[in-house]
């Protein structure tokens, strides 16, 4: 079964992904973020067709503690955050490791030492 990518965030954030062909998205306007972001993320978590969910890193801070914990520990869908520097360095490494269960960069690190 093929799984889809979903995007959660402001309409400005989701538009680029939608133009690239992402069909599943949850728009959360900036002025409604405090009330609606948790529900949007929970909707994506409950969708069995979603394999990867993309969010802006800054939106993690707006989630309730419980939903944020679900996002950070979710394997399917795997949440990938971009922006704010979280996708660089070890942040992306941890996300990949959580998604596939293997540290792809481990051999590269050993050869650099």
């Amino acid at each position: 079964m093929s799984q889809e990518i979903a995007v959660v965030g402001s309409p400005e954030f989701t538009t680029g992904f939608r133009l690239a062909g992402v069909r599943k998205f949850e728009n959360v306007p900036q002025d409604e973020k405090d009330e609606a972001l948790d529900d949007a993320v929970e909707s994506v978590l409950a969708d069995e067709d979603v394999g990867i969910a993309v969010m802006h890193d800054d939106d993690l801070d707006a989630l309730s503690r419980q939903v944020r914990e679900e996002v950070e520990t979710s394997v399917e869908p795997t949440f990938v955050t971009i922006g704010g520097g979280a996708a660089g360095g070890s942040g992306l490494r941890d996300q990949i490791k959580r998604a596939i269960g293997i540290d792809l960069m481990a051999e590269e690190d050993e050869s650099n030492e």
Side-chain angles (χ1 to χ4, degrees):
M1 176 173 103
S2 174
Q3 292 191 308
E4 296 194 44
I5 297 172
V7 181
V8 179
S10 68
E12 295 82 13
F13 181 74
T14 62
T15 298
F17 291 94
R18 291 173 47 210
L19 291 171
V22 174
R23 295 179 288 183
K24 293 191 177 263
F25 60 94
E26 293 284 339
N27 281 332
V28 181
Q30 190 69 25
D31 59 341
E32 298 175 19
K33 187 187 292 188
D34 291 337
E35 302 84 30
L37 189 60
D38 278 0
D39 291 338
V41 169
E42 287 176 336
S43 174
V44 170
L45 281 165
D47 190 337
E48 294 181 7
D49 293 333
V50 175
I52 297 173
V54 180
M55 290 181 64
H56 194 281
D57 184 54
D58 293 341
D59 287 343
L60 283 179
D61 295 333
L63 293 174
S64 67
R65 179 181 295 209
Q66 179 183 353
V67 175
R68 182 177 177 146
E69 202 171 282
E70 288 180 58
V71 165
E72 291 174 343
T73 60
S74 177
V75 174
E76 194 172 293
T78 297
F79 276 80
V80 176
T81 58
I82 58 176
S90 65
L92 180 58
R93 180 179 185 169
D94 291 341
Q95 290 174 2
I96 293 169
K97 186 176 177 181
R98 189 177 76 231
I100 64 173
I102 300 170
D103 188 352
L104 295 176
M105 297 176 208
E107 188 175 306
E108 181 180 307
D109 285 350
E110 292 169 7
S111 65
N112 288 339
E113 291 179 1

